[in-house]
Amino acid sequence: AVHEGQVVSAQELMALLQPLFTQNSRNLVLFLQDRLSIDDFTYFSESYGNKNPFQNEILQSSPSSLVLPAVDCKAARYLLRDFQESGDWKLTNVTNLNISQLEVNASDPNLLVVQLQPLASDLKEISTLEAIAENDKIIGRVTMDLQERGIHFSVIYTAVRPSRISRRTDVVAGLRRQLMAAEEEDSLSYPPLNVTTGNYTCILFYASNFTLKANRSVLVDLTNATFLTQNVDISASECSDSNTTLSLKYTKPVNGISSLEIRFLMTNKFYEVSARKWSTLDSVEIVQDGEKFAKFNVSGISAPAEYSSHCQLVGTSNLYPARLVPSNNEAKNWDVFISELQIQGFNVINNQFSYASDCTGFFTPGIWMGLVTSIILLWILTYGIHMIMQLTTNNRFDDPKGPALSVPQTE
């Protein structure tokens, strides 16, 4: 069937995947990426010639295949949940990518979820190309291991959200505000992580990309484990009226790291200048394998106590509006990148984020550039007017019929 130009809905997607529930060997491998679009396959393969990152021939070697150029975001977002609800699948999160040591019982339906590394967040095409190529190698390695073991399986390669959003050009300008609102609503690809005490939610945490890098080389992507599969322990989190700690514990997030804990420490204080309480994210702590302790001081993330805090980019880079400043030597070994961070540790109502106070300052670089340019132009104008006012006209003129006019040097 031809699916070009059609956005497959959730009901249509489950109908197309129905053979996976009826076949004899129900072994399904779900490769999940943070973002992907059908245009990526042609864009990166044509733009870089011999550097085509998609080298796997699993689609051509498969006896049956299905390519869906466009799938509804909600359908792809909750695909894992729908599979769990529609059958008695044995869910296994593959983190170390070593299938040979994984016990797969062919008599039972198995669902293997492989979380691929995220694409580059700095919008550099070369970095994105390398990430896609590495994910392609992971797909080839996992499928090859399963084939060598004689296990019959089906593969789904999809993402949580699209990497390229096509925009309609035939829409009048008056509807642009509504379209932007719809796009912003769709950008929240999964629900936030919530910490409850009793029957009340005391902490809400969301990020579209939550990535760390240890020792400048080991990439640790915690986005899917935190929000999608929620393979994270938050039992050590603490809530109070003045201090809140969000504790995220991960077991074997990547090879070489057996345990990883990340703490977000927030305070709620009364400030006399503003005559109100403000919630502040003071520090972020990283504990690796229970021994290595890294601490970062946070600058620029605060909001009124009734609001939530939102920052577009948070990390260790100097280019980010909200920066994590290392406060000990161990922190210098970590690079942190968090995009679209939204956190609220106080006054959570109805399990929803309150109005967000953005961490972007009032004076952006564009505003500063405009002010400096205006001051320079104003100074040039003032100097020019001052020089024009200093000009004087002659009060004596030479008469060609009379003697020559003599002007002393003093004048």
Side-chain angles (χ1 to χ4, degrees), residues 224-347:
N224 295 334
T226 305
F227 304 102
L228 191 61
T229 61
Q230 294 190 356
N231 189 18
V232 58
D233 182 13
I234 57 175
S235 59
S237 302
E238 299 177 354
C239 298
S240 66
D241 294 336
S242 57
N243 295 280
T244 295
T245 301
L246 173 61
S247 175
L248 307 175
K249 294 182 179 180
Y250 306 88
T251 303
K252 293 183 179 180
V254 292
N255 292 332
I257 299 179
S258 59
S259 65
L260 187 66
E261 181 181 4
I262 303 175
R263 306 190 194 111
F264 294 84
L265 283 74
M266 295 171 284
T267 58
N268 187 20
K269 296 181 181 179
F270 179 82
Y271 292 88
E272 296 181 355
V273 176
S274 58
R276 67 182 307 170
K277 287 186 176 182
W278 287 74
S279 61
T280 306
L281 179 60
D282 296 327
S283 60
V284 176
E285 300 175 352
I286 301 176
V287 182
Q288 177 185 349
D289 301 331
E291 299 177 354
K292 300 180 180 179
F293 176 78
K295 183 177 181 180
F296 300 87
N297 294 326
V298 184
S299 61
I301 301 182
S302 62
E306 300 82 8
Y307 293 176
S308 62
S309 299
H310 173 267
C311 285
Q312 186 176 6
L313 294 175
V314 179
T316 53
S317 174
N318 295 327
L319 303 177
Y320 298 157
R323 186 171 176 239
L324 303 182
V325 182
S327 61
N328 59 1
N329 293 329
E330 184 62 30
K332 298 178 181 178
N333 299 327
W334 289 89
D335 291 330
V336 182
F337 173 79
I338 307 175
S339 63
E340 297 297 339
L341 169 69
Q342 188 168 0
I343 188 170
Q344 183 174 357
F346 306 95
N347 303 315

